[in-house]
Each structure stands twice: as C-alpha cells, then as structure tokens.
Amino acid sequence: MQKLGLYALGALVLLAGCNKAPTPPAAPPPAPIANAVSGTVALKDPRDLGNDAKIDLKVVDVTQTATPIAQTTIPNASHPPVSFNLPVDPHAIDPKRTYSLEVVLTDGDRRYLPVLQYPVLTNKAPASNIQVVVAPEPTQSEKLYEAFNRAYGQVGSMIHFNGSSQDENSSTAWDAFASNGKVKFVREITDLDNDKGRISTRIAYQNDKPWVVVREESAGANAKPSSTTRVGWDDNGNLVMKDKISGSQTTEVSDGEAKQLYDHATKVFGTTSNRVPKAH
C-alpha cells in the first residue's frame, strides 16, 4: 500500500511537469540602425530648373520635427534626379520611435515638396535607395489668384449695378457687385477710340481697399488677349502677385505699373461706392 502511494505521488509530479507552459523564445535583438540615409530626389513632372536650385534634406523624429536628427543642403540641384547621402548618428536614433525624411527643393520663389511621406531607419523602414518624388507647391501669387477666382464666383449672390463713362480717348462700361453695402467687385470694358484696342479689367476689393486687379489687353472686342496683367496685395498691403503674361512668357510687373493699377482701382471704388443701390 505504501508503494502504491509513492507511485501515485510520482505520477502527479510527472503530470504537473507535463502541464507546465514552455518558456517563450528570447526576442530577437533590434536590427542595427543605419549610419546614413540615401537615395534620389526627382520631379513628378520633369521641367527645367534654375541654376540656383537647391535641395534641403532632414531626418526628423515625427513627434519633434523642429529638431532634426541630421540635415544637409545640396546646391546645384538644377538637373533632377539628384542623388543624396545623408549621414546619421545611429546612437541618436531610438528604435522604438518613428523617423521620416523631409525634403524641400527650392527653385527661386518656387518650392517642390514630397508627394508622399518617407519613413526611414526604424520599424522596418528603409535607409537606402529611397526614391523621393516632389511636386510644385503653389506660390503665394498662385494662391492669391486662386482665392480671387473663388471669391469672384460668388458675385451672383451680390447686388449688381452698372454704369458708363467716356473721355477724349475711350469709352468705358462697368458692372459692380456689392455685399452689405460695400463694393466687392468691378468689371470694366474700355474701348479705345479709333479701333486702337480693348482693355478688360476685373477688380476685387477687401476691407474697402484694392485686393486683386486683372487686366487683359486685346486688339478688339472679339480678339484674344495679347497680354494679361495680374497684381494683388496681401492683408498688409504688400504686393505679392505681379505677373505679366504675354504668349508663353511671364515677366514681373514693375512697382510703378502696379501702383498705377492700384490707384485706378482706388478711383473706381470711390466712383462705384457712391452708386451702390440702397437696401429696401
């Protein structure tokens, strides 16, 4: 009977050993951190760039982008794709954090930014052969012109009134659009005497001041514009849009011509403001 008890006790010990969970395998060591980030920067839509084009690259912690882990500037970047190799201190990288590559290609006033995000170094993200594709960011001038067109699309909901004027060299017909008793837009068509051409002008106002002026010059009523001048000012009165387009060429409007258009727009505002219909 004593032997049977010993046998039973041994069986219980053996059974307990069989039910014990196996020891999990040790976690693999983290992959080594690369000591550089490399690849190429290419344009989404190839085009000619100026000789002063440059590329700024940064590796940043996505939660602390103001403090780059590594950065460099590549000058003479006028012929993309441009190769880069940005050294990185592996000891500055935390394997548990997420890092990305920031890229800005600058060509004069135009910036080109990545079309995608590019994580690097950790979480199985690459460190080499990174093919960055950049596309143009709208310039301040383009953003202003886009905002002007959006605002101009709302004239149908405004009060509409019109008038005309004449001098020794031309005759002008105009339409004005007001909201809350204030003139917001004016369209002018000026025909020069002796068939010397036509000038079509659109003027937008903000805070009772000229905001954007778009002037088109043509040979006559049915002719396509031979040139288009676009000027616009920011909230501080700074001239930020100053484009003169003639055919495929775009040049910069002089400060003197921009002032003439500003002064004309101011005069038109005074004339049309005196004729805003009274609300009933």
Side-chain angles (χ1 to χ4, degrees):
M1 184 65 71
Q2 185 177 5
K3 289 183 177 181
L4 287 175
L6 291 174
Y7 289 146
L9 180 60
L12 289 173
V13 172
L14 181 61
L15 182 60
C18 292
N19 290 334
K20 186 177 181 181
T23 303
I33 302 297
N35 61 6
V37 173
S38 62
T40 59
V41 178
L43 295 177
K44 181 180 179 181
D45 299 308
R47 66 179 70 186
D48 294 332
L49 300 179
N51 294 329
D52 295 331
K54 65 175 184 175
I55 299 175
D56 293 303
L57 301 107
K58 297 179 182 179
V59 172
V60 298
D61 183 326
V62 297
T63 64
Q64 301 173 5
T65 58
T67 307
I69 304 299
Q71 60 184 329
T72 191
T73 297
I74 302 176
N76 305 318
S78 56
H79 299 291
V82 176
S83 298
F84 66 87
N85 186 76
L86 177 56
V88 176
D89 179 5
H91 298 97
I93 303 299
D94 184 344
K96 297 179 181 179
R97 303 186 73 85
T98 301
Y99 299 86
S100 67
L101 178 66
E102 292 187 350
V103 179
V104 178
L105 189 158
T106 305
D107 179 30
D109 293 334
R110 176 79 68 180
R111 297 201 320 163
Y112 296 77
L113 303 179
V115 299
L116 299 172
Q117 291 184 329
Y118 293 90
V120 293
L121 296 171
T122 61
N123 303 315
K124 298 183 180 180
S128 61
N129 196 32
I130 301 169
Q131 299 178 17
V132 179
V133 177
V134 295
E137 178 188 45
T139 63
Q140 192 173 10
S141 172
E142 290 168 339
K143 291 177 182 178
L144 181 59
Y145 188 59
E146 181 181 353
F148 163 76
N149 283 326
R150 286 198 306 267
Y152 189 75
Q154 305 300 314
V155 297
S157 63
M158 300 180 187
I159 296 175
H160 173 225
F161 57 106
N162 53 49
S164 62
S165 62
Q166 191 170 0
D167 60 27
E168 65 273 13
N169 298 313
S170 63
S171 58
T172 299
W174 55 262
D175 295 85
F177 301 87
S179 176
N180 297 321
K182 299 288 188 178
V183 173
K184 299 298 183 182
F185 291 93
V186 175
R187 296 185 304 205
E188 286 185 318
I189 296 179
T190 299
D191 287 312
L192 304 178
D193 292 346
N194 302 316
D195 297 325
K196 290 184 178 180
R198 167 172 284 192
I199 301 174
S200 299
T201 307
R202 289 184 295 163
I203 308 171
Y205 300 92
Q206 282 191 349
N207 301 319
D208 298 343
K209 294 180 180 179
W211 176 41
V212 173
V213 179
V214 178
R215 183 183 66 185
E216 295 179 340
E217 299 181 34
S218 61
N222 299 317
K224 292 183 178 180
S226 58
S227 68
T228 300
T229 301
R230 303 191 305 216
V231 293
W233 299 265
D234 64 14
D235 294 339
N236 297 317
N238 299 314
L239 182 65
V240 296
M241 180 167 65
K242 43 185 175 180
D243 303 325
K244 190 160 193 173
I245 305 165
S246 181
S248 60
Q249 299 294 320
T250 299
T251 56
E252 196 169 281
V253 176
S254 69
D255 290 341
E257 186 175 1
K259 185 178 185 307
Q260 288 179 351
L261 291 171
Y262 186 93
D263 291 344
H264 174 73
T266 301
K267 181 180 178 180
V268 169
F269 183 80
T271 299
T272 54
S273 293
N274 290 331
R275 299 184 60 175
V276 176
K278 300 296 183 182
H280 297 289

